[in-house]
Amino acid sequence: MTFKLRKLSHGLGAEVCDIDVTAPMSESAFGEIHRAFLDYGVLLFRNQNITREQHLAFSRRFGELDRHDAFPSDRHPTIPELMLVTNEPQPDGTPSVSRYTGRRWHTDMSHTLEPSLGSLLRCWKIPGVGGDTLFANTAMAYDALSPGMQKLIAHLHGIHFSGGRKLDSTAADQAHVAEQKKISPPVAHPVVRVHPETGRKAIYLGEKVKRFDGMTEDESKPLIEYLNCHSTKPEFVYRHQWRENDIVMWDNRCTLHMALGDFDQNERRHMERTTVVGTPSGYVVASA
C-alpha cells in the first residue's frame, strides 16, 4: 500500500492523505507511515472521528504508551494513557490545571529519564479562531549551526525542569506546581542528541532548560537563548491550524512544539494526547 503524502512546510511535516487509522493495516503499510514519521518529524491525519480506544490502539503501533505518572493531575480520570490538554472546567467547576499546557517551546517528557519518542494529539474541540500549535525541526536547526558552534555544544548537558508552565495564583494551581516539583526532580540530557533511528543529530533544549550542568544560570542563559531562538526560526517551523478530528503526531527526539493562546479563553479547546515512551536518557541532577 502506498500512501499519498502532502508536505506541510519547508521545514517539516506531512499530511497522510485519505487514510482511516482504524482500518486494518498490514505491517508493510504501517512501515510506510513509520518511515514518513522519521522523514518528516510531524504527521497529520485529518478527519479521524475515532473513539478513545481507537486512538490508543493506533498509538500503540508506535510503541509502549506512557501512563503519565509525571502528570497525575492532567490524566484522563479513568484512562491514564490519555493526557488531557483542555480549558474545560473540572467537574467541581474549578479551572482545568492543563488549560495553559504547552505554551512554551518544549519537547514532551524531557524532564524525565525516559523522554518521549513521540506524541499523538487528537483534537476534539477548537475555538472559532486561533489555538494553533507551532512545531520546529531541531535536526535541521543543528545542521545549520556553524562547525564551531557544533563543537562548542557537543558535550554540554541541559538541565530540564518540570513545573514551569504558566498558571494562575489559585490554591489548586500552586498545589499543582508543588506536585510537579516533587514528582519530577531536574534531569540533565545531552544538548546534542543523536536520534536512535535515523542517526541525525538534533538540538535538545527548549524552555524547560534553565542552565547547563556545571554552569550557573547567568553563564548558561545567553547560549540557551541563542540556541532556542535559532531552533525556532521561521525556516524551521510549521504552524498547524487545527480542525476537529485532526490527529497530529510528532517526533519528540528532533522537534520542539508550542501551543498558542491566541484565542478567546471563553471558547473551548479540548485535546487528548497519547505519549509513546522513548529510550532512557540523562541523569537526575541532585543539586539543581
Side-chain angles (χ1 to χ4, degrees):
M1 181 182 295
T2 300
F3 297 98
K4 179 182 177 183
L5 296 174
R6 182 181 68 87
K7 286 191 68 173
L8 296 173
S9 74
H10 167 69
L12 72 169
E15 178 182 356
V16 185
C17 303
D18 303 319
I19 183 174
D20 176 0
V21 301
T22 68
M25 188 182 303
S26 68
E27 285 301 316
S28 175
F30 176 75
E32 293 184 40
I33 291 179
H34 185 256
R35 182 70 254 170
F37 170 64
L38 296 179
D39 288 344
Y40 292 97
V42 173
L43 293 182
L44 166 62
F45 305 88
R46 295 275 197 200
N47 304 314
Q48 304 299 320
N49 186 14
I50 61 176
T51 66
R52 290 185 171 98
E53 290 72 21
Q54 290 168 330
H55 182 181
L56 293 171
F58 180 61
S59 302
R60 287 192 179 103
R61 296 293 298 263
F62 294 91
E64 177 189 355
L65 297 187
D66 199 305
R67 292 176 59 85
H68 301 114
D69 291 332
F71 293 103
S73 299
D74 297 38
R75 294 185 290 195
H76 188 281
T78 61
I79 310 173
E81 294 87 356
L82 282 177
M83 181 175 171
L84 305 182
V85 183
T86 182
N87 65 354
E88 293 184 350
Q90 300 186 76
D92 63 0
T94 57
S96 166
V97 295
S98 67
R99 64 193 181 280
Y100 299 130
T101 291
R103 294 193 188 178
R104 56 181 177 161
W105 286 107
H106 69 286
T107 179
D108 292 333
M109 313 305 288
S110 69
H111 61 289
T112 73
L113 293 171
E114 289 187 324
S116 169
L117 178 159
S119 301
L120 294 93
L121 188 63
R122 190 265 176 96
C123 177
W124 286 81
K125 296 180 183 178
I126 51 170
V129 176
D132 300 346
T133 301
L134 303 178
F135 297 91
N137 186 334
T138 58
M140 183 179 284
Y142 175 82
D143 291 343
L145 292 173
S146 68
M149 180 58 75
Q150 291 177 351
K151 182 178 180 180
L152 176 65
I153 67 175
H155 302 293
L156 293 176
H157 286 73
I159 301 177
H160 296 243
F161 292 82
S162 66
R165 75 173 63 161
K166 173 188 173 183
L167 286 173
D168 298 322
S169 58
T170 65
D173 284 350
Q174 295 311 304
H176 181 71
V177 171
E179 175 189 61
Q180 288 297 295
K181 290 181 179 179
K182 182 178 180 181
I183 293 173
S184 301
V187 172
H189 293 289
V191 171
V192 180
R193 201 159 176 223
V194 179
H195 197 292
E197 295 185 81
T198 67
R200 290 189 70 185
K201 293 180 178 179
I203 301 170
Y204 196 74
L205 281 174
E207 293 179 276
K208 290 181 183 179
V209 178
K210 301 303 180 186
R211 70 175 178 87
F212 301 117
D213 197 11
M215 297 171 63
T216 67
E217 286 195 19
D218 285 345
E219 292 168 337
S220 306
K221 184 177 179 181
L223 184 53
I224 290 173
E225 289 187 346
Y226 168 76
L227 291 169
N228 281 333
C229 288
H230 170 77
S231 296
T232 56
K233 286 180 178 179
E235 57 263 39
F236 307 138
V237 170
Y238 163 62
R239 179 169 180 155
H240 183 65
Q241 294 182 307
W242 291 96
R243 300 179 192 170
E244 289 186 8
N245 296 322
D246 277 356
I247 295 177
V248 173
M249 179 180 189
W250 60 89
D251 191 333
N252 281 300
R253 301 163 294 186
C254 57
T255 67
L256 291 172
H257 60 284
M258 176 172 65
L260 300 179
D262 58 339
F263 62 95
D264 184 343
Q265 301 301 310
N266 294 312
E267 295 188 50
R268 291 290 173 255
R269 184 181 188 272
H270 182 90
M271 311 280 186
E272 297 184 2
R273 190 188 93 198
T274 53
T275 313
V276 184
V277 176
T279 54
S281 173
Y283 52 89
V284 172
V285 180
S287 57

